Amino acid sequence: ANGARLKKLCEEQSINSCISNAEKEKEKKISITGGGFGGGPQQMPHCAPTYAAVLSLCIVASLGLERKSKKDHPYRAPGRRAMEVLTKRRLQLYAYFLTLRERETTDDSHEEGRTAFRMQHDGEIDVRASYCLLAPCYLLGLLDTNNDNNIDNNNPLQRPSISRHIASCQTFEGGFGAEPSNEAHGGYTFCALAALRILGSVSAIDVGALSGWLARRQMGFEGGFQGRTNKLVDGCYSFWQGGAVAVLDGWYGDNIVDDGDDEEEGDSTTASMTEGGSDDASKTTTTTSKEKKKSSSTTELSYDEIMLQRYILLCAQDVNGGLRDKPSKPKDFYHSCYNLSGLSVAQHALVSWPQFKRSTPSTSSSSCADKDDEEEKTSSGGDDAKEGKEESYNRLWGDVSVNIVGRTDPVINIRVERVKFMLSQW
């Protein structure tokens, strides 16, 4: 009964109402019916399949509702249905995420508390959960404080205690473990860093130590990445490690170029000092904002992208299709996904993040799913990201006429035009 009441409130009221009601229901350890997605029918909701489900629905919605998709396009109906699901479940997901919070205290009375998240109710606590719920919230406009959804500055999913917990998972090596005192691992490192990038709190960690740890994970002979110290190369870490490098390098580029003027991240001073900059140097900078953005778009990756592309295309790629961990290993969907994601990051030059700013649509997201004419006015086409400018690449290896894959957002890990579409909907 309590779960049904909260579900109804989430469907009818604002996000602030979801926050207050979820706070009350949290103490009762209830499960919100329909809140998250499970791995299959009748399975418990879990952060990992919820992350995958929301991103998949965003891809389908964008493909079906993009401006250049005609009304009789075969993707149109699936796209409308995907957007309806996202619109219906959006606030329920938000309330579900709030019930996964765990407040942690420390032995040091002078240290402020930390907020962690469980992967599922009564499940494990680790940094994967932080990323797997923040990424969907970012795409669904649940972290935006400047829209019409009545989110205030007290949004529980943007509190500093979340960043403090993530930062506490950084190890003496520089990478991140699943929780404090765990071994540094590529997958957890990406989740931790991407979550901090979404929160605008990268400066809360030791970025120098992280840069060094990531640099040591690329294998000198194979060219691919290992997941942990003293481990073998694995194709999936082309993204987990290579993507983390891209996120960190992008943060360095944005903040160093902006010389302390980046209000959104609030990390510029730390970045400047890390690279040997000073306040006096920043005061003498005369570069215009447009020139700064142009400069940051040419930031290079701090790993050997040619070696990584070579490993993915020659060693990880199966001659019969699909990609794998390494030669002698079988191909599978997981390694196919993250090898290709890593290949995209290695091929495309870094750009400022977020690449697209959230804009207020002329109609609500529900009406966009119902009215074809309004959809075409408020939605972004798949080719819009390329209109008016040429795509920029890193150094490329192999036959570029067939090897190039689409540009993905390194933080969210779906195509940039899908991200742009979703940010325009709320």
Side-chain angles (χ1 to χ4, degrees), residues 170-184:
Q170 188 171 21
T171 75
F172 71 94
E173 290 185 278
F176 288 79
E179 55 186 346
S181 302
N182 280 194
E183 181 183 10

Side-chain angles (χ1 to χ4, degrees), residues 118-359:
R118 293 188 180 275
M119 290 296 289
Q120 65 181 53
H121 290 144
D122 297 321
E124 69 274 28
I125 297 175
D126 64 52
V127 295
R128 288 179 303 158
S130 299
Y131 172 70
C132 285
L133 63 86
L134 286 172
C137 285
Y138 173 77
L139 288 173
L140 298 178
L142 299 171
L143 299 178
D144 191 356
T145 58
N146 296 314
N147 61 16
D148 58 356
N149 287 316
N150 297 320
I151 308 177
D152 58 27
N153 292 329
N154 293 320
N155 189 335
L157 297 184
Q158 293 181 294
R159 288 177 182 166
S161 59
I162 299 174
S163 300
R164 284 196 293 270
H165 171 75
I166 296 173
S168 73
C169 296
Q170 188 171 21
T171 75
F172 71 94
E173 290 185 278
F176 288 79
E179 55 186 346
S181 302
N182 280 194
E183 181 183 10
H185 183 283
Y188 296 111
T189 296
F190 173 84
C191 289
L193 180 59
L196 290 172
R197 189 68 162 122
I198 293 172
L199 293 171
S201 302
V202 176
S203 61
I205 63 174
D206 186 340
V207 291
L210 176 57
S211 296
W213 185 81
L214 289 169
R216 294 189 293 273
R217 300 287 71 78
Q218 187 171 24
M219 310 295 281
F221 179 74
E222 299 93 333
F225 284 91
Q226 62 182 184
R228 292 176 286 165
T229 303
N230 293 326
K231 294 295 183 178
L232 299 176
V233 66
D234 186 334
C236 70
Y237 293 109
S238 300
F239 178 74
W240 295 127
Q241 303 284 31
V245 172
V247 173
L248 188 60
D249 286 350
W251 176 83
Y252 267 128
D254 288 348
N255 285 273
I256 293 172
V257 169
D258 285 348
D259 288 317
D261 293 330
D262 189 346
E263 296 179 359
E264 182 174 0
E265 273 284 317
D267 290 332
S268 305
T269 301
T270 302
S272 176
M273 297 306 293
T274 302
E275 290 299 298
S278 66
D279 292 338
D280 292 337
S282 65
K283 291 177 182 178
T284 61
T285 301
T286 59
T287 308
T288 65
S289 60
K290 290 184 179 180
E291 291 172 337
K292 292 173 184 177
K293 290 300 180 182
K294 183 177 180 180
S295 298
S296 66
S297 68
T298 60
T299 303
E300 296 181 356
L301 291 169
S302 57
Y303 65 81
D304 192 329
E305 64 267 30
I306 291 291
M307 288 288 286
L308 180 61
Q309 292 173 57
R310 191 181 69 168
Y311 177 80
I312 294 172
L313 295 171
L314 292 184
C315 301
Q317 186 173 202
D318 191 294
V319 295
N320 297 312
L323 293 100
R324 58 198 176 191
D325 170 348
K326 58 178 69 68
S328 78
K329 296 288 186 178
K331 60 189 176 184
D332 58 69
F333 290 124
Y334 172 82
H335 285 89
S336 294
C337 171
Y338 288 106
N339 269 297
L340 291 174
S341 297
L343 182 62
S344 173
V345 170
Q347 290 179 338
H348 295 270
L350 291 175
V351 295
S352 297
W353 194 92
Q355 185 176 357
F356 307 110
K357 301 298 182 182
R358 189 180 307 283
S359 58

